[in-house]
Amino acid sequence: MKNKFKPILAQQLKQWLPALSHHQLSQHRFAIASTLLGDPNLLAWSNLGFWHNTSDYQVACAQLAQQVGLAAGLQANDHVLDLGCGQGASLLYWTKQFGIGHLSAFEIQPACIARIQAANLPQLDGIYQAAFDQLPLPDQRLNHAFDAIVCVDAAYHAHFSDFLAVNMAALKPQGRIAFTTLSKSNDWPQASLLNQTLTLKLLNLAYVPAQNLLKNDEIRTTLQQAGFTDIRLQVLDAEVFTGFARYIQQLDPPEILTVAAKADWLKIKMTARLCAFLAKQGLVHYVLVSARLV
Ligand SMILES: C[S@@+](CC[C@H](N)C(=O)[O-])C[C@H]1O[C@@H](n2cnc3c(N)ncnc32)[C@H](O)[C@@H]1O
């Protein structure tokens, strides 16, 4: 880790850890304070963003979704499943930008489900409080029901094989998938044990089971073996890791009044530092993956 990070991180942790642990007890571990990030909407974004020619959080998040939607080749008549849809901004985005009329979504946080239900999207056929890495699917009518499955900035929270199994259960023959995830870079084996351990520990703190991260070649082979073709992987480290880290660095800290807001802000700062660290180390990539079932 870059030396200057250590004392600052330690100082902040010491100051805010009691507040954080108290707040985390009442919050879902995946909860993200989108308003602090720059999205106060009911159906808010909570992804890392694709920071190309923008310094606006909502635009960057929509751009990341756009990358995923284009990679999945979304068509207006597709039945689409969105995995880990968060507070639902992507659901609105698929309807507006790709004209999708039949959408379903999985999300694990009850608070997100409540927001999405409150928005009453006419194109939403079903919103399930369900894990995208656990079979069986929450409703048997979802088996092989989807032309395309998309997942924006969430798949790295699961083991790849479990995530893939859910995708395969839900996908129609010749269906397409597109998702962003993390992968180990080709430099990983040469990295010192200390750097490897530190990277894994930091990712674990962000609820990424990083011990099982695959390399890009391994993702490709796993998809081939599962019967996928047209497999594409694009590394987006600069646009995502560096972009998010820079955005948070220049963001004025909000006027923090409550313990909860302090904890939320700390979580955001830590995520940005982790992104900066990953971009600098080059041991873990942010990748966009797309493929089609044969
Ligand atoms: C970084 S957020 C991205 C949210 C949304 N896709 C977006 O672009 O704004 C990751 C989301 O994945 C959800 N998530 C994590 N693990 C999950 C799982 N196993 N099953 C379903 N959702 C999960 C989290 O609750 C969180 O809402």
Side-chain angles (χ1 to χ4, degrees):
M1 189 190 281
K2 208 171 160 186
N3 270 345
K4 76 167 186 190
F5 284 150
K6 282 184 188 165
I8 301 170
L9 270 180
Q11 220 178 354
Q12 286 183 344
L13 274 175
K14 209 167 139 191
Q15 191 186 349
W16 282 348
L17 216 48
L20 183 65
S21 51
H22 173 78
H23 181 51
Q24 290 308 306
L25 288 177
S26 57
Q27 276 262 5
H28 195 282
R29 67 186 190 284
F30 292 129
I32 296 169
S34 294
T35 302
L36 293 180
L37 280 167
D39 190 352
N41 294 306
L42 174 68
L43 298 182
W45 294 104
S46 57
N47 69 49
L48 293 174
F50 182 89
W51 298 89
H52 179 69
N53 286 344
T54 187
S55 53
D56 180 291
Y57 181 66
Q58 293 181 42
V59 172
C61 289
Q63 288 184 170
L64 186 62
Q66 182 187 36
Q67 296 292 317
V68 173
L70 292 175
L74 293 187
Q75 305 289 328
N77 56 350
D78 283 338
H79 282 67
V80 176
L81 176 62
D82 187 333
L83 298 177
C85 66
Q87 295 157 109
S90 56
L91 303 176
L92 197 57
Y93 183 79
W94 309 132
T95 65
K96 284 193 170 162
Q97 299 301 318
F98 290 89
I100 303 299
H102 286 284
L103 263 173
S104 298
F106 289 9
E107 171 52 53
I108 211 163
Q109 295 182 62
C112 294
I113 303 285
R115 275 172 178 251
I116 293 165
Q117 283 169 338
N120 243 327
L121 289 179
Q123 300 87 349
L124 192 62
D125 297 334
I127 171 76
Y128 300 88
Q129 194 200 331
F132 55 52
D133 53 351
Q134 267 174 42
L135 287 173
L137 299 177
D139 183 330
Q140 64 174 13
R141 283 170 298 183
L142 302 178
N143 283 304
H144 306 296
F146 297 96
D147 303 289
I149 303 181
V150 285
C151 175
V152 185
D153 198 36
Y156 49 71
H157 287 304
H159 295 296
F160 185 58
S161 53
D162 299 334
F163 175 76
L164 190 58
V166 166
N167 277 267
M168 293 189 64
L171 211 53
K172 285 184 186 170
Q174 278 139 49
R176 290 107 52 205
I177 57 173
F179 57 93
T180 57
T181 192
L182 300 178
S183 65
K184 279 184 182 150
S185 82
N186 289 335
D187 293 340
W188 182 272
Q190 286 85 46
S192 68
L193 188 61
L194 181 68
N195 267 345
Q196 290 185 359
T197 310
L198 182 62
T199 306
L200 294 179
K201 288 276 176 233
L202 291 173
L203 286 167
N204 289 166
L205 284 173
Y207 306 108
V208 177
Q211 280 76 0
N212 295 299
L213 283 187
L214 301 180
K215 287 174 145 185
N216 286 354
D217 286 351
E218 295 168 330
I219 293 178
R220 185 179 291 279
T221 310
T222 309
L223 287 169
Q224 271 163 353
Q225 286 170 352
F228 284 90
T229 184
D230 292 347
I231 301 163
R232 263 197 95 202
L233 281 98
Q234 284 171 263
V235 172
L236 307 179
D237 298 350
E239 296 86 347
V240 177
F241 286 154
T242 313
F244 184 75
R246 284 200 185 135
Y247 170 67
I248 298 300
Q249 203 177 21
Q250 59 75 54
L251 208 60
D252 288 332
E255 197 183 327
I256 291 182
L257 300 173
T258 63
V259 164
K262 262 189 191 178
D264 289 337
W265 181 242
L266 175 62
K267 195 171 176 181
I268 289 168
K269 292 291 273 185
M270 301 296 261
T271 306
R273 283 182 192 281
L274 176 58
C275 287
F277 172 74
L278 294 175
K280 188 174 183 309
Q281 292 274 66
L283 296 183
V284 169
H285 289 310
Y286 193 95
V287 278
L288 169 62
V289 184
S290 59
R292 180 173 61 82
L293 259 186
V294 176

